[in-house]
Amino acid sequence: MSGPSRRTVLRGAGAAAFGVGSLAVLLLFDAPGTRIEAGTCVSTDVSDSEPELIISNWPAYIDPPKKPGSTLKTFEQRTGISVTYNVDYNDNAEFYAKVRNQLGACEPVKRDMFMSTDWMAARMVSSGWIQKLDAKRVPNLHDNLLPSLKNRKWDPDREYSAPWQSGLTGIAYNAAKTSEVRSMEELLTRDDLKGRVTLLSEMYDTMIFMLIRVGADPLDFDDDEWADAIDNLREVVDSGQIRAFTGNEYLQDLQAGNIVACEAWSGDIIQAQFDNPDIKFVVPEEGLSLWSDNMLVPNKAEHKANAEEWIDYYYEPEVAARLAAWVNYICPVKGAREAMEKVDPSLVDNELIFPDDEMLANAVDLMPLDADQTRRYEGDWADVTGG
C-alpha cells in the first residue's frame, strides 16, 4: 500500500455529520475576488538565470519526493532545476483564501505552480489569475493527454491547465454487510440501507448525481433545476436515509460496518481494497463523476518555463506510470498503462487507474459556475447539509 491518498488527506480532519457547508462559504465568499483582464498582469520569467521551481501540492500526492530515484529527484537531476516542493494545499477553499488577495491585486504568491480541482481551477482561470502555457514547451501534454480530459468548458484547449491526476466519484459498498448497490437511486431509497449510507461533503461531487436524479443535465442546468435537485436532496435527508455527509471518514465506517454503502472516491477505494477485499467500487447506473486536480501557473510566477518543463516531464508515459503506482488515482497520460508493465504489472488492469473507454463514456461533470451562482448554490448546500 502506497500511503494515504490525496482525497484521504483532503478531509483527514474534516467535519462530519452535516456540518461542513458553512466553512466553505465563509472561506470562499467573505469578500469578492478581483478579475484581472488578459494582458494587464504581466510576469517576468527568470527561468534562464534561476533554475528553480516552487510548487504547492496536496499532501501524499506524489511518490516520496526526497527518496533517491523518485520522480522529483529524477526531474532535478535531468534538468538541473531545484524544486521546492510544498504540501500546503489541503483544501480548495482554504488555499483560495491564502492567495486570493495577491492574485486579485496582480501580486506574486511566491509559487510557480499549484494544483487546483476543476471547479477551483475554472474560477481562477476565468478570473484571469493564471498564465497561459506555451504549447511548444509542453508537447507531451497535448500529445499524451487522455481524450476524456480534453475539451473542458473552462479551458477547452488546455491552454491554462494540465491535469496532475484524475479520479472518479461513484459508489462503494461492503460486500460482507450488504448486497451490491448498483445505482445512486438504490443508495438513496433502499429500505435495507436506511441510516447506513453516507454522501460526500463536497458539493460538486454529490450535486451532479442529484441533478441527474431530477432529470437535469449537470453540464447545462438553470436555477429552477438546481432548486429541484436541492429540494430532492432535502427530502432524502429528512427521510433518514443518510447517516452523514463526510470526507474520507467514510472509509473507516465502511470497513467497520458502521455504514454499508456510500458515495466514494475511486483512489480511496483502491487503497482500502489492499486491506479489505470486501470493499467494492461500483460505477453507478446513472454515470460517474470524473474530476481532475490541475497544474496551474499563477500570474507573477517567476519560473514559468521551469514549470512547463515539469509539466512536460510528468506527461512522459513512464514517469506518469511511476507516479500513478504511488497515488492510485486515474493516470491522465496516454501510454502510461503500457509503461506500467515494467513499473508494477499488478496495476495494469486496474480500471480505477486505467479506466476503459466504456467506463469513461459514462463520466459526467458539473458546468462551470460563476461567482454569483457559486455563492448562492453553496448557501443552498450548507442549508441542506446543516452548515
Side-chain angles (χ1 to χ4, degrees), residues 35 72 81 90 104 111 115 189 226 252 262 293 329 350 373:
R35 178 176 174 78
L72 188 152
I81 296 170
N90 295 297
R111 299 167 174 87
M115 283 66 160
T189 61
W226 172 267
Q252 291 76 25
C262 59
D293 293 317
Y329 276 92
N350 192 314
Q373 287 173 317

Side-chain angles (χ1 to χ4, degrees), residues 247-291:
N248 78 292
E249 306 96 291
Y250 68 81
L251 278 178
Q252 291 76 25
D253 283 338
L254 188 63
Q255 290 176 321
N258 298 327
I259 61 171
V260 297
C262 59
E263 188 182 12
W265 290 308
S266 56
D268 285 350
I269 301 308
I270 292 176
Q271 296 199 14
Q273 289 171 339
F274 283 111
D275 299 320
N276 186 349
D278 286 325
I279 304 301
K280 308 294 184 181
F281 186 84
V282 174
V283 176
E285 293 175 357
E286 295 88 347
L288 286 161
S289 170
L290 174 65
W291 50 265

Side-chain angles (χ1 to χ4, degrees), residues 207 210 214 225-235 377 380-381 383-384:
M207 288 308 295
M210 300 311 299
V214 299
E225 290 171 317
W226 172 267
D228 288 343
I230 280 288
D231 287 344
N232 194 270
L233 178 61
R234 182 178 287 107
E235 291 173 4
Y377 292 174
D380 294 337
W381 171 258
D383 180 61
V384 174

Side-chain angles (χ1 to χ4, degrees), residues 53-189:
L53 182 61
I54 304 171
I55 295 175
S56 285
N57 203 354
W58 304 81
Y61 215 18
I62 194 172
D63 53 313
K66 296 183 179 181
K67 184 178 180 180
S70 69
T71 58
L72 188 152
K73 285 297 183 184
T74 302
F75 173 80
E76 289 184 321
Q77 293 165 0
R78 182 194 296 187
T79 64
I81 296 170
S82 177
V83 179
T84 300
Y85 186 86
N86 302 305
V87 288
D88 58 348
Y89 201 128
N90 295 297
D91 179 271
N92 282 291
E94 178 188 41
F95 190 82
Y96 177 86
K98 289 181 184 179
V99 300
R100 176 192 59 215
N101 292 339
Q102 296 97 312
L103 289 174
C106 189
E107 296 174 353
V109 294
K110 299 180 180 179
R111 299 167 174 87
D112 300 305
M113 177 185 289
F114 48 75
M115 283 66 160
S116 296
T117 308
D118 287 328
W119 63 273
M120 180 56 73
R123 181 175 175 83
M124 290 187 174
V125 169
S126 67
S127 295
W129 295 353
I130 304 302
Q131 295 190 59
K132 183 181 290 189
L133 301 172
D134 183 346
K136 294 180 180 178
R137 295 189 61 88
V138 290
N140 288 334
L141 167 64
H142 297 289
D143 290 344
N144 296 337
L145 178 64
L146 290 178
S148 57
L149 296 174
K150 296 181 178 180
N151 303 317
R152 288 294 181 262
K153 280 191 173 183
W154 52 274
D155 189 11
D157 298 318
R158 289 294 182 183
E159 294 179 298
Y160 296 91
S161 63
W164 174 250
Q165 294 289 285
S166 296
L168 298 168
T169 304
I171 294 170
Y173 70 97
N174 188 331
K177 303 294 182 179
T178 191
S179 59
E180 181 181 14
V181 182
R182 295 164 294 187
S183 66
M184 291 298 294
E185 186 66 22
E186 286 190 16
L187 189 73
L188 300 178
T189 61

